[in-house]
Amino acid sequence: MTSLISPQDLIARLGDPDLILLDASWYMPADPRDPEADFETAHLPGAKRFDFDSKIKDHGSDLPHMMPTPEAFEAAARALGISATSQIVIYDGAGIFAAPRAWWMFKAMGHDAVSVLNGGLPAWTAAGGPIETGPETAAAPGDFTARPAAERLASAKDVLEAVNGQADQPTAIVDARGAPRFEGSQPEPRPGLRSGHMPGARNIPFDQVLSDGKYRDAADIRRIWAAAGLPDQGRIIASCGSGVTASVLALAAESAGLPTVTVYDGSWSEWGQDSRPELPVATGAA
């Protein structure tokens, strides 16, 4: 499967017995919208909810929606009816915002047959795609097996080694937050966090790779990549506030044929903590 699928192509695939549709909608805490209520109001036919914020996450971590253990992820995927042969398409209600996070989670757990609906529910509706209402229906358990892909997931230790020039290969860091947060001129929305960015990081606010709620074409994304000073080879680690919009950049890179981007799961929610002075912070433009 390609990393992105259009509404028209997905409409043509409805009815495929291996097709699994997942609604991964999530909104920032200040947003009054409720993804669960929105799902019952309108969702793609047969879709299931993929809630990475309160359910499919590491419940032992104080950080928001961290990746669960492979065992926990495997159990959650099986409960959604996902198997080794499943062709997964993920979407969200905002167009492109939360779905890439769920896409990245499946990639990081070794399932490559996963795509994101480009433009999400708004594009689907505009294309005349069918809509269902009401709660999701139960699925027969699948046989999904988690096979963690280490190249997809970075820790604070990995990022610190990159910052200090101690990584085992040339590694660049890209931050998906908006420029004011990256530069440190705007306070972080979560309490207890310093302002700024990892030393040496580059900044591509995630909305730069989008246009009208969809991903830009590959040529545009490659130009944005180059303009930010990012290489088109070697390792790149993406960060953001909590690992969601970093995944938007990871999917952008994959859709444009750029090297695999590793996502720093803890992102600024971990790195920026006042209690982590060993994790250095810089301010100003890249």
Side-chain angles (χ1 to χ4, degrees), residues 25-228:
S25 300
W26 173 73
Y27 307 113
M28 293 292 289
D31 194 314
R33 290 177 292 179
D34 179 355
E36 301 295 336
D38 287 352
F39 179 88
E40 295 203 12
T41 299
H43 58 264
L44 271 62
K48 304 290 187 287
R49 275 285 293 148
F50 188 90
D51 182 356
F52 62 74
D53 185 56
S54 62
K55 295 180 180 177
I56 307 174
K57 68 171 189 174
D58 180 357
H59 291 274
S61 175
D62 292 333
L63 299 173
H65 40 248
M66 290 285 283
M67 178 74 89
T69 64
E71 295 78 14
F73 188 91
E74 181 176 293
R78 289 184 175 190
L80 290 168
I82 298 170
S83 295
T85 59
S86 293
Q87 308 282 308
I88 303 170
V89 176
I90 305 172
Y91 71 93
D92 67 61
I96 294 292
F97 181 62
R101 169 70 184 192
W103 168 88
W104 167 77
M105 292 174 75
F106 277 99
K107 288 284 190 176
M109 288 296 171
H111 193 84
D112 287 328
V114 56
S115 301
V116 164
L117 177 61
N118 201 11
L121 185 61
W124 177 262
T125 303
I131 291 293
E132 288 184 350
T133 61
E136 66 182 78
T137 56
D143 63 8
F144 177 89
T145 298
R147 297 182 175 87
E151 72 276 8
R152 295 276 183 179
L153 176 61
S155 66
K157 178 177 179 290
D158 297 322
V159 180
L160 186 59
E161 288 175 349
V163 167
N164 292 334
Q166 298 171 337
D168 58 5
Q169 60 178 306
T171 303
I173 301 167
V174 61
D175 192 318
R177 294 175 299 157
R181 289 174 65 191
F182 177 87
E183 294 168 2
S185 61
Q186 177 179 310
E188 285 296 303
R190 294 180 176 88
L193 298 180
R194 297 167 288 170
S195 297
H197 57 267
M198 296 93 171
R202 301 294 178 172
N203 186 212
I204 300 180
F206 80 95
D207 56 0
Q208 288 188 5
V209 301
L210 307 176
S211 178
D212 296 326
K214 301 176 183 178
Y215 275 100
R216 295 182 179 274
D217 65 29
D220 281 348
I221 291 170
R222 294 181 75 90
R223 282 194 290 269
I224 291 166
W225 221 247

Side-chain angles (χ1 to χ4, degrees), residues 247-266:
S247 302
V248 174
L249 295 188
L251 178 51
E254 187 141 326
S255 71
L258 291 162
T260 296
V261 169
T262 305
V263 171
Y264 171 28
D265 199 16

